[in-house]
């Protein structure tokens, strides 16, 4: 007798485990995808820093980092190690909790926003349909806007909690700028939504199978891209962190890895914005006859847009703050509304 | 020995309960916290919890709009004002209003108890297309077919409010000199 009940219990436990595993395949696949996307997007950041520094070097007729490793590949690694081992300074007048919370909010929202970005057509492995996106949310584009809107809090909180006038000004500027340009961003995306009749990003890509929307909506593309650059706080719209007037703005007081987290957030947002532009206007993973894998087509377009981001940074001087707001509200927004009106009229007719 | 359906129900219920309790705690934080910044943050977390509750009811569009409009746009303005005016801690003191507020809380709790004793909740009956449930399309169809008058009136009111704000803000100060 004795051990019968133990084996019986183990059998039942085994059955239960197998049963729950087979029942929860979507959940497991989803978790794996979430981890893969999060890790991939975070490891893109050092590569992007390397790319930016190298390209900026070329644009400014110098070499850029080339000492650590071949082509300076080791430079981001060395920078990361340096940042990790720096002393983390929190000044005594700061609000400790918010001071620590702010960079976490920035990175978290940046990664979460990428969850709904599809980067390739679905395919089958072992009879299981693998879709190359974290989640196919029905109102995907709204989700991206919602989450990136939450990212503003990171900057505002950093500005507020630092107890420093420069930081406060930087935080306020960033929130004002991002609210203003979010309107342009949303309204220019709306013309694409009108064309496809869906908020779903996958549907949008499938609607561009024959023709990318940049050819149908060139103005909307331009407006979306400009607003996207402003939304990610990149030069020439990097007013919140203007070095000359604000001493780097909302992250003046941050050191070490917390400082680096703001940069991580910025670079991840850059990737997300490039991916959005690709999905909305450049036809996503459609390669239009060029024989390459869909995912390669998508990554190629994103990489090109990232290079354009860097190109803009090294070409244009920073815009004055009042000009920036005037530009956003008096030029971009009316143009957006006009474009929307024309698109809607044509669609109805 | 283990029933999967009950396990699933259990996890779902746990998630709903956790989100709900967090929402209640966050809303308590809004009124009990003395620092305005933290009050605003509690309000944001409360709104995010509400969005999660919408999401658990499969109302995806509503959840996203809740985050964009309330947690995103409205609360950022709150934080903006707090940052501009300075968020000093307020001093809590006992007053008549405070005791009235506590009385109201107990009345509300009593009402909650009463409504709980009424009986089990019932699902709403009516024609609901399960495929379209919670999507932007369903809401749009409903809004632009049955409630078009109310919708247009609301948009007119909002427009009037926006114009009014611009008038109030623009003409009460002398115009700035152009450099």
């Amino acid at each position: 007798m004795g051990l019968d009940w133990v084996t019986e219990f183990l059998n039942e436990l085994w059955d239960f485990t197998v049963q729950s595993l087979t029942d929860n395949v979507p959940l497991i696949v989803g978790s794996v995808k979430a981890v893969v996307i999060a890790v991939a997007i975070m490891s893109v950041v050092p590569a992007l820093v390397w790319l930016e520094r190298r390209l900026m070097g070329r644009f400014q007729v110098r070499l850029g980092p080339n000492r650590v490793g071949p082509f300076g590949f080791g430079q981001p690694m060395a920078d990361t190690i340096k940042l990790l081992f720096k002393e983390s300074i929190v000044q005594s007048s700061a609000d400790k909790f918010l001071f620590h919370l702010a960079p976490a909010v920035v990175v978290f929202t940046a990664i979460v926003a990428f969850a709904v970005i599809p980067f390739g057509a679905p395919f089958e492995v072992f009879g299981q349909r693998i879709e190359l996106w974290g989640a196919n949310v029905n109102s995907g584009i709204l989700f991206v806007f919602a989450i990136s809107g939450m990212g503003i809090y990171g900057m505002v909180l950093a500005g507020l909690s630092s107890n420093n006038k420069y930081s406060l000004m930087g935080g306020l500027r960033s929130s004002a700028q991002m609210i203003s340009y979010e309107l342009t961003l949303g309204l220019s995306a709306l013309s694409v939504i009108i064309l496809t009749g869906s908020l779903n990003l996958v549907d949008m890509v499938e609607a561009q199978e024959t023709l990318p929307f940049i050819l149908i909506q060139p103005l909307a593309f331009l407006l979306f891209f400009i607003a996207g650059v402003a939304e990610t706080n990149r030069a020439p719209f990097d007013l919140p962190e203007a070095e000359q007037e604000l001493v780097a703005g909302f992250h003046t007081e941050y050191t070490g890895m917390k400082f680096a987290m703001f940069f991580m957030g910025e670079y991840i947002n850059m990737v997300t914005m490039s991916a959005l532009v690709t999905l909305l206007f450049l036809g996503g993973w459609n390669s239009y006859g060029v024989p390459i894998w869909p995912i390669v087509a998508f990554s190629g377009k994103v990489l090109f847009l990232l290079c354009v981001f860097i190109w803009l940074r090294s070409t244009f001087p920073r815009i004055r703050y009042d000009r920036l707001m005037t530009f956003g509200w008096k030029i971009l927004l009316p143009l957006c509304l006009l474009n929307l009106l024309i698109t809607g009229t044509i669609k109805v007719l | 020995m283990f029933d999967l359906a009950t396990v699933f129900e259990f996890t779902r219920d746990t998630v709903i309960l956790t989100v709900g309790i967090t929402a209640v705690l966050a809303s308590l934080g809004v009124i009990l916290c003395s620092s305005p910044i933290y009050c605003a943050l509690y309000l944001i977390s409360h709104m995010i919890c509400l969005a999660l509750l919408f999401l658990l009811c499969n109302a995806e569009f509503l959840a996203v709009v809740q985050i964009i409009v309330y947690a995103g746009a409205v609360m950022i303005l709150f934080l903006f004002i707090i940052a501009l005016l300075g968020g000093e801690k307020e001093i809590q003191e006992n007053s008549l209003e405070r005791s009235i507020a506590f009385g109201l809380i107990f009345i509300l709790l009593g009402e909650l108890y009463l409504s709980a004793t009424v009986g089990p909740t019932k699902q709403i009956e009516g024609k609901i297309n399960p495929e379209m449930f919670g999507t932007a399309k369903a809401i749009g169809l409903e809004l632009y077919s049955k409630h078009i008058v109310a919708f247009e009136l609301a948009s007119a009111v909002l427009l009037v409010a926006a114009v009014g704000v611009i008038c109030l803000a623009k003409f009460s100060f002398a115009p700035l000199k152009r450099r």
Side-chain angles (χ1 to χ4, degrees), chain A residues 56-245:
Chain A
M56 288 275 284
R58 295 292 157 174
F59 282 127
Q60 294 161 357
V61 202
R62 56 188 173 85
L63 287 173
N66 63 350
R67 297 287 143 170
V68 193
F71 304 107
F73 266 131
Q75 190 63 47
M77 217 81 79
D79 284 346
T80 316
I81 291 168
K82 180 200 76 175
L83 283 165
L84 276 171
F85 284 100
K86 279 229 168 171
E87 184 191 355
S88 174
I89 302 169
V90 184
Q91 79 274 31
S92 54
S93 58
D95 188 321
K96 302 279 182 310
F97 177 68
L98 294 183
F99 193 81
H100 287 96
L101 180 71
V105 169
V106 171
V107 173
F108 176 78
T109 50
I111 294 173
V112 170
F114 205 82
V116 291
I117 303 279
F119 37 87
F123 60 91
E124 299 234 340
V125 178
F126 304 125
Q128 190 75 34
R129 192 161 181 265
I130 302 284
E131 295 153 329
L132 284 175
W133 45 77
N136 190 12
V137 182
N138 239 327
S139 27
I141 186 157
L142 285 183
F143 181 86
V144 177
F145 288 154
I147 299 297
S148 65
M150 301 304 289
I152 306 175
Y153 285 120
M155 290 168 198
V156 179
L157 287 180
L160 272 174
S161 65
S162 293
N163 204 2
N164 171 343
K165 287 281 183 290
Y166 290 127
S167 300
L168 186 64
M169 285 299 294
L172 286 181
R173 272 189 182 185
S174 80
S175 55
Q177 175 185 334
M178 287 171 91
I179 291 171
S180 316
Y181 280 80
E182 224 166 46
L183 285 174
T184 312
L185 203 67
L187 283 176
S188 48
L190 208 54
S191 45
V192 173
I193 296 171
I194 287 179
L195 282 179
T196 47
S198 166
L199 293 169
N200 193 325
L201 289 166
V202 181
D203 290 353
M204 285 179 186
V205 174
E206 276 162 6
Q208 302 177 56
E209 222 150 355
T210 49
L211 203 64
F213 281 151
I214 183 174
L215 299 176
I216 307 170
Q217 290 280 349
L219 184 63
F221 165 75
L222 206 62
L223 294 170
F224 191 89
F225 194 68
I226 293 173
V229 175
E231 193 68 12
T232 45
N233 284 332
R234 291 286 300 178
F237 302 109
D238 56 347
L239 266 299
E241 44 198 270
E243 286 89 351
Q244 295 91 335
E245 33 184 318

Side-chain angles (χ1 to χ4, degrees), chain A residues 9 12 16 19 23 95 97-98 137-139 142-143 146 150 152-153 156-157 160 168 172 175-176 179 199, chain B residues 1-2 4 7 37-38 41 44 48 60-61 64-65 67-68 70-72 75-77 79-80 83-84 135-136:
Chain A
F9 176 76
E12 275 207 34
F16 174 71
Q19 183 69 32
D23 280 3
D95 188 321
F97 177 68
L98 294 183
V137 182
N138 239 327
S139 27
L142 285 183
F143 181 86
M150 301 304 289
I152 306 175
Y153 285 120
V156 179
L157 287 180
L160 272 174
L168 186 64
L172 286 181
S175 55
I179 291 171
L199 293 169
Chain B
M1 190 169 171
F2 302 102
L4 273 175
V7 169
I37 297 175
Y38 280 93
L41 285 181
I44 294 167
I48 292 173
E60 202 176 77
F61 181 71
V64 173
V65 167
I67 289 187
I68 289 182
Y70 288 103
M75 288 316 294
I76 203 87
L77 290 179
L79 269 189
F80 212 91
L84 281 177
T135 58

Side-chain angles (χ1 to χ4, degrees), chain B residues 27-146:
Chain B
S27 58
L28 277 179
V30 177
I31 48 173
L32 293 180
C33 195
S34 58
S35 159
I37 297 175
Y38 280 93
C39 283
L41 285 181
Y42 275 123
L43 197 50
I44 294 167
S45 53
H46 175 70
M47 279 156 178
I48 292 173
C49 283
L50 286 189
L52 286 179
L53 283 178
F54 282 138
L55 206 58
L56 285 168
C57 301
N58 286 334
E60 202 176 77
F61 181 71
L62 214 56
V64 173
V65 167
Q66 163 88 13
I67 289 187
I68 289 182
V69 175
Y70 288 103
V74 173
M75 288 316 294
I76 203 87
L77 290 179
F78 273 48
L79 269 189
F80 212 91
I81 301 298
I82 291 169
L84 281 177
L85 299 182
E88 280 94 30
K89 282 192 177 180
E90 59 180 31
I91 305 140
Q92 308 252 359
E93 52 190 21
N94 284 316
S95 68
L96 185 65
E97 283 90 354
R98 259 173 96 83
S99 43
I100 293 175
F102 274 108
L104 277 177
I105 287 175
F106 281 109
I107 291 172
L108 278 178
L109 281 179
E111 281 179 358
L112 191 68
Y113 174 71
L114 277 181
S115 58
T117 53
V118 166
T121 49
K122 263 200 295 185
Q123 289 216 323
I124 306 166
E125 288 173 5
K127 265 190 256 169
I128 297 171
N129 187 350
E131 267 180 35
M132 270 178 30
F133 185 80
T135 58
K137 203 169 183 177
I139 292 173
L141 282 176
E142 189 76 3
L143 214 57
Y144 286 104
S145 56
K146 285 185 193 161

